[in-house]
Amino acid sequence: MRQLFPSPEDDVAPGTAYGDAPTGGGRPWVVTDMVASVDGGTAVAGRSGGLGSPGDKAVFRALRSLADVILVGAGTARTESYRAVVVDDAARERRLAHGQRPVPRLALVSGRLDLDAASPMFTDAAEAPLVFTTTRAATRGASRFAEVAEVVTAGEDT
């Protein structure tokens, strides 16, 4: 990756470029990351995973390694075949030194709770993912996630 700001440098590792997680003066903070093609496309053959370059994927991993929680829509998790969140040893050590959990927690948003509770994103997770859904969907299917996720209701129908 080539860093352009705050000062141009060649061959900067994404973890170095992004450094430590911002503290926000003790306040919560949000980071978002996406990749798009030059014509504005966000997917190739229906998946975003095929769009990014190795550099894009390195930035994606670096940003994820800084987060406390990784928020993903259920449709994206299904389409991209999400697995459990993992970080390398250096990221794990950095996280622990900053008082974070060893691995970021996955949080999914699903209006219908149409996720596979036997998926590796649940069964292989270091910490049970959060699943945000509606009261209506939770009434119909939250019991499937009792052993693998923490289901949080937010709204009756939407």
Side-chain angles (χ1 to χ4, degrees):
M1 179 172 102
R2 182 172 181 162
Q3 178 174 309
L4 301 177
F5 181 80
S7 61
E9 296 181 33
D10 291 329
D11 300 324
V12 175
T16 302
Y18 290 100
D20 294 328
T23 62
R27 296 179 49 185
W29 53 276
V30 176
V31 173
T32 185
D33 180 42
M34 67 167 287
V35 64
S37 65
V38 73
D39 65 354
T42 58
V44 173
R47 297 186 65 194
S48 64
L51 189 59
S53 69
D56 293 321
K57 291 174 183 174
V59 168
F60 187 70
R61 283 189 306 273
L63 289 173
R64 281 179 156 229
S65 76
L66 298 173
D68 290 317
V69 176
I70 298 168
L71 182 64
V72 180
T76 298
R78 282 190 305 274
T79 301
E80 301 292 334
S81 301
Y82 264 54
R83 304 186 72 72
V85 178
V86 295
V87 296
D88 63 27
D89 291 340
R92 182 180 298 266
E93 289 176 24
R94 185 184 66 247
R95 292 177 61 77
L96 291 171
H98 285 91
Q100 292 177 289
R101 292 179 166 111
V103 177
R105 191 172 188 188
L106 185 63
L108 299 126
V109 178
S110 175
R112 296 184 306 265
L113 207 56
D114 52 352
L115 294 160
D116 179 6
S119 165
M121 72 179 144
F122 294 110
T123 60
D124 296 344
E127 184 174 0
L130 295 161
V131 178
F132 293 94
T133 192
T134 64
T135 301
R136 182 180 302 255
T139 301
R140 289 191 312 255
S143 61
R144 294 181 291 127
F145 297 91
E147 300 296 319
V148 295
E150 180 182 338
V151 177
V152 179
T153 57
E156 277 298 312
D157 297 311
T158 59

